[in-house]
Amino acid sequence: MIRREDSAPAPGAEARQTTVRLQGRLDAGTGNEVLHRLLAALGPGSMLLVDLSGVEAVEAAGAEILAAVRRQALLLGGDLRVTGAAAHPLFALADAGPEDSAHDRG
């Protein structure tokens, strides 16, 4: 299940923030729907906050979807942040920026 909340910028804030709360699993089976919903939530210069506190598991395909949406957000002058993520190694993939690469990690 996906729930979306939009908020106008606070006084002094620069960007609109959209919060998307995901529930269930983030994997190849749910990935296409999640990808389309997250991309639809993006706007020029906006911050997309993805709340994963209701997500039971994220597989590699799900982490790649988050990374792809973040890359798109950056291209639009915004960003994507993940909250509510358990300490799971795949979540780190979604937070990798375009300046990060596997060969730079040693």
Side-chain angles (χ1 to χ4, degrees):
M1 183 168 90
I2 301 169
R3 193 171 74 208
R4 177 179 167 173
E5 299 171 11
D6 292 310
S7 61
E14 296 179 16
R16 185 191 95 205
Q17 177 174 302
T18 300
T19 300
V20 178
R21 288 184 170 78
L22 303 178
Q23 293 183 338
R25 298 181 61 85
L26 186 51
D27 55 24
T30 61
N32 194 41
E33 178 187 0
V34 171
L35 175 65
H36 288 209
R37 296 279 178 105
L38 293 178
L39 289 174
L42 290 178
S46 68
M47 170 63 72
L48 181 59
L49 186 64
V50 180
D51 182 353
L52 298 178
S53 59
V55 173
E56 301 162 6
V58 174
E59 294 181 2
E64 179 52 39
I65 286 166
L66 294 174
V69 174
R70 181 163 191 240
R71 287 190 296 271
Q72 185 64 35
L74 292 169
L75 287 172
L76 292 171
D79 205 352
L80 176 146
R81 294 285 181 233
V82 173
T83 64
H88 191 289
L90 289 178
F91 287 121
L93 294 175
D95 202 32
E99 67 280 354
D100 296 330
S101 65
H103 63 80
D104 290 337
R105 295 186 188 134

